Amino acid sequence: MSLADTGAPARVAGDSPPDVGRPRRSLTERLLAVRELSLLLALGALILVTTLRNDRFLSAQSIKDLLLGCAILVILAVGQTLVIVTRNVDLSVGSILGLVAFATGELFLAAPGTPWPVALLLGVGLGALCGVINGGLIAVAKVPALVITLGTLYAFRGVDYYWAAGRQINAADMPRSFLRLGNQTVLGVPVLFLVALVVVAAVGFYLRSYRSGRELYAIGSEPAAARLSGIPVGRRVFAVFVANGALAGLAGVLYAARFGTLDAAAGSGLELQVVAAAVVGGVAIFGGSGSAYGAALGAVLLTTIGSSLAVLRIDPFWQQAVVGALILAAIGLDRLLALRMAVRLRGRSLHGA
């Protein structure tokens, strides 16, 4: 039967297929877009309700404080996204932040004339070294990342306490140019938040546009299949732990600039907030899906919830309850979407057969 007999339009040599130039978005990308839009709507509704109760919530100073409050959490959540996407988790980020923050203060005590960019690079390097330890132990011991990073959480914190020996570093001990970095603004936007935006954009672009970034999703979806397809799973997982450590180091230096007063307890308990921000932001705790943008929105949402409840004079207990409910809802939604996608793929397979 010819094309004319079927009524289908004949294609002339050189014609392009109808879909060329109009790439379709995958189901995963559409789902991520929906999740991120939902977070934006939830954030907008929360801000609206709080502003109706207290119009000073959207004052210039309040917005600045909110952006400063979420900047460090955004950086940590984006780094954690790299790890969770590969079906792992890093519980040591709070301890890495504390260790790097105290090391930064010690650096300025020992060498007061050190330029802050040098301190920044050294802090990132120390964080990356901690990431190398995490990644190396996971690769060598073949033990789940949850167990390894739980151990290094206490190990890094122990080093911090031993180094500090009960001492406290005050803002007066650090250069003013460094401390200004923690509160300086550009067109009303805090520099710390601008740094966080650069991190989000860089990691988001990498995950979306680079082959090695897309391979992280394949590893998280099915590590065995990824290995069989030729993806260097061990090397990729090692790299994301190093990158996450480097971002935690960056956050540690910015923490020192933001708060000035440092001791060995800096960053304690922060790892749970980081994981919560990533999960609430749509990063599947089971690996294989999520985005840096969603994790950043999750961090902003959690920070805004804390600020809003304080303005609304609601018991702080409810902040933890709300965050817990959001985590459970996010995990439940992830499982529902995964089941629906599995059913859809099974239906396509049967239809094709």
Side-chain angles (χ1 to χ4, degrees):
M1 183 181 293
S2 67
L3 285 174
D5 294 332
T6 63
R11 280 180 54 193
V12 180
D15 284 354
S16 299
D19 292 333
V20 170
R22 293 180 295 169
R24 293 180 179 178
R25 300 174 69 188
S26 68
L27 177 61
T28 302
E29 289 176 330
R30 292 199 298 270
L31 291 175
L32 287 176
V34 170
R35 291 289 293 275
E36 290 161 7
L37 178 59
S38 300
L39 286 171
L40 281 173
L41 292 175
L43 182 62
L46 179 62
I47 292 174
L48 176 62
V49 170
T50 309
T51 304
L52 291 176
R53 183 71 179 271
N54 187 337
D55 57 1
R56 289 180 296 178
F57 186 70
L58 280 183
S59 65
Q61 185 60 43
S62 293
I63 294 175
K64 177 185 175 182
D65 292 341
L66 183 63
L67 296 180
L68 279 173
C70 72
I72 291 174
L73 185 58
V74 166
I75 294 173
L76 292 174
V78 169
Q80 191 72 233
T81 297
L82 291 169
V83 175
I84 296 179
V85 159
T86 63
R87 201 181 286 191
N88 289 287
V89 67
D90 188 347
L91 297 179
S92 67
V93 288
S95 297
I96 295 175
L97 179 147
L99 180 61
V100 172
F102 194 82
T104 301
E106 281 288 312
L107 174 64
F108 286 123
L109 282 177
T114 303
W116 67 259
V118 173
L120 186 68
L121 291 175
L122 291 175
V124 171
L126 178 57
L129 178 60
C130 293
V132 167
I133 294 172
N134 281 334
L137 288 174
I138 292 168
V140 172
K142 304 297 182 183
V143 175
L146 176 68
V147 178
I148 293 293
T149 58
L150 182 61
T152 54
L153 179 157
Y154 290 106
F156 295 150
R157 184 65 64 184
V159 171
D160 199 4
Y161 272 103
Y162 178 79
W163 192 359
R167 294 178 298 120
Q168 185 180 71
I169 299 176
N170 299 311
D173 300 322
M174 288 186 277
R176 290 185 179 180
S177 60
F178 177 69
L179 295 175
R180 279 198 299 269
L181 178 67
N183 293 282
Q184 194 171 12
T185 61
V186 176
L187 300 177
V189 180
V191 171
L192 263 63
F193 188 73
L194 292 176
V195 173
L197 288 181
V198 171
V199 170
V200 172
V203 174
F205 181 76
Y206 167 74
L207 288 175
R208 182 181 178 87
S209 303
Y210 281 80
R211 178 177 178 177
S212 57
R214 303 304 300 176
E215 288 175 348
L216 301 182
Y217 291 99
I219 294 170
S221 297
E222 187 52 63
R227 190 173 287 107
L228 288 173
S229 66
I231 296 175
V233 174
R235 195 163 58 200
R236 292 283 183 265
V237 171
F238 178 80
V240 296
F241 274 97
V242 175
N244 185 45
L247 289 176
L250 171 63
V253 177
L254 298 181
Y255 182 98
R258 170 80 174 90
F259 296 102
T261 301
L262 306 168
D263 58 23
S268 295
L270 193 57
E271 54 278 340
L272 297 182
Q273 296 181 45
V274 173
V275 175
V279 172
V280 169
V283 182
I285 197 66
F286 305 101
S289 69
S291 72
Y293 310 113
L297 286 173
V300 175
L301 179 60
L302 294 190
T303 304
T304 306
I305 288 174
S307 300
S308 297
L309 293 183
V311 170
L312 297 173
R313 297 182 181 179
I314 297 176
D315 192 320
F317 160 79
W318 289 106
Q319 177 182 356
Q320 299 182 27
V322 169
V323 172
L326 286 173
I327 293 173
L328 292 175
I331 293 175
L333 181 59
D334 285 334
R335 296 310 295 164
L336 178 62
L337 292 176
L339 289 173
R340 291 187 62 182
M341 187 177 295
V343 170
R344 181 170 179 174
L345 291 175
R346 192 179 303 117
R348 286 182 178 177
S349 177
L350 293 174
H351 181 73

